[in-house]
Amino acid sequence: MESVKIKQLLEAYFEGTTTLAEEKLLQDYFNNERVADDLVQYQPIFAGLKAAKSERSTRTFALPESKPQSNKAWWYSIAAMLVVAFGVGGFYLSQPNYSQEEKEALEAFEKSKQAMVLLSENLNKGTEQLTVVGQFGKTKDKIFE
């Protein structure tokens, strides 16, 4: 009966679903002298885990001393905020502020510009028609010669 329970615990152990209490039970069982014959093959695993648990390092480790943090990080962040503030302020202040008279003049200029473009397009159409009239005149002169 105990052998069946240990086999179930071993399956769960190798799947990684055991609790710490179940793992302790397995370690106690396999580190004991009374292990079932069909489970003897697992005894070296738990003996190795017990030996690894009791190992201690004799090597001394020298950790580097941590330097006190400087205030450079604060200065960098303050400098970055100032750069951003000057950039936003400069952009905002560089926008032109026109008076009402200047706005009306710009509006009149845009309307005049649109009228000139329209006039230019119509003159170009008229010029194309004059080319046709000129061609007609040349053809007429050739015929009446």
Side-chain angles (χ1 to χ4, degrees):
M1 181 68 171
E2 187 176 314
S3 178
V4 173
K5 183 178 178 183
I6 295 297
K7 285 181 182 179
Q8 290 174 347
L9 283 175
L10 275 174
E11 286 180 30
Y13 179 77
F14 290 127
E15 289 176 8
T17 58
T18 55
T19 63
L20 292 176
E22 292 170 337
E23 291 178 15
K24 176 80 169 124
L25 183 76
L26 282 172
Q27 288 175 357
D28 290 342
Y29 178 78
F30 283 104
N31 290 327
N32 193 353
E33 296 295 325
R34 299 176 303 141
V35 178
D37 292 335
D38 57 336
L39 298 175
V40 171
Q41 61 188 2
Y42 299 110
Q43 196 170 14
I45 294 172
F46 291 96
L49 289 174
K50 182 179 180 182
K53 187 177 181 180
S54 64
E55 285 183 5
R56 298 287 180 243
S57 175
T58 57
R59 183 177 173 195
T60 58
F61 295 95
L63 298 175
E65 292 183 27
S66 62
K67 297 178 182 177
Q69 291 186 350
S70 65
N71 290 334
K72 286 184 181 180
W74 285 98
W75 286 109
Y76 291 144
S77 62
I78 290 171
M81 287 190 315
L82 287 174
V83 167
V84 169
F86 281 123
V88 170
F91 177 75
Y92 179 72
L93 294 176
S94 70
Q95 298 297 321
N97 293 329
Y98 296 120
S99 66
Q100 185 65 28
E101 187 176 302
E102 290 173 326
K103 288 179 185 177
E104 290 173 1
L106 282 174
E107 198 173 305
F109 172 74
E110 288 297 323
K111 286 182 181 179
S112 300
K113 190 166 113 179
Q114 289 174 355
M116 291 293 181
V117 168
L118 184 63
L119 179 66
S120 172
E121 289 173 357
N122 288 331
L123 282 176
N124 287 338
K125 287 179 186 176
T127 305
E128 290 173 7
Q129 291 175 358
L130 286 178
T131 307
V132 172
V133 171
Q135 197 69 356
F136 175 74
K138 288 180 186 177
T139 307
K140 179 186 79 161
D141 289 341
K142 285 182 183 177
I143 292 174
F144 290 119
E145 282 183 1

